[in-house]
Amino acid sequence: MALTFLDANGMTGPELKQLRNDLSDAIERKLTAADMAKLCALPEKGGADTIRRWEVSGPTLAATKLLRVLAMASERYPIMEKFDIFDRHDVREEDRPAKRAAFRAQMRDEVRRRLG
């Protein structure tokens, strides 16, 4: 699947659905629509229904921006350029893979923290 939402202004419904699956794999826990609502800071009441609608029509731009960041918890998505401090001259090339892995682990921890 193309990762168009990483560079474009919006995310499609199928991309959101795929992201839910990819984040589930990353944190080794099946994410529900209610979990995704929590990640998007939607109200507990009705939030899961909003996610299910978004999985058809696509989320809001504000939610897409947040989801772009959280997507980095999954190996299936690149680390966004503004977060990629690992290719700098002061990071030894042989240290970069471990630093990227640590960053992804930190992102997975952030997803888990947001879920409570």
Side-chain angles (χ1 to χ4, degrees), residues 13-27:
E15 286 173 331
L16 175 58
K17 198 171 207 169
Q18 184 62 51
L19 178 59
R20 177 163 39 139
N21 292 331
D22 293 340
L23 287 176
S24 292
D25 291 344
I27 67 167

Side-chain angles (χ1 to χ4, degrees), residues 86 96-109:
F86 315 111
R96 293 173 185 174
K99 292 192 178 288
R100 282 187 193 94
F103 177 77
R104 289 200 191 272
Q106 182 180 359
M107 293 304 298
R108 288 189 292 272
D109 289 344

Side-chain angles (χ1 to χ4, degrees), residues 21-38:
N21 292 331
D22 293 340
L23 287 176
S24 292
D25 291 344
I27 67 167
E28 300 175 333
R29 172 184 159 196
K30 179 87 170 139
L31 294 177
T32 65
D35 292 331
M36 290 301 287
K38 192 179 265 191

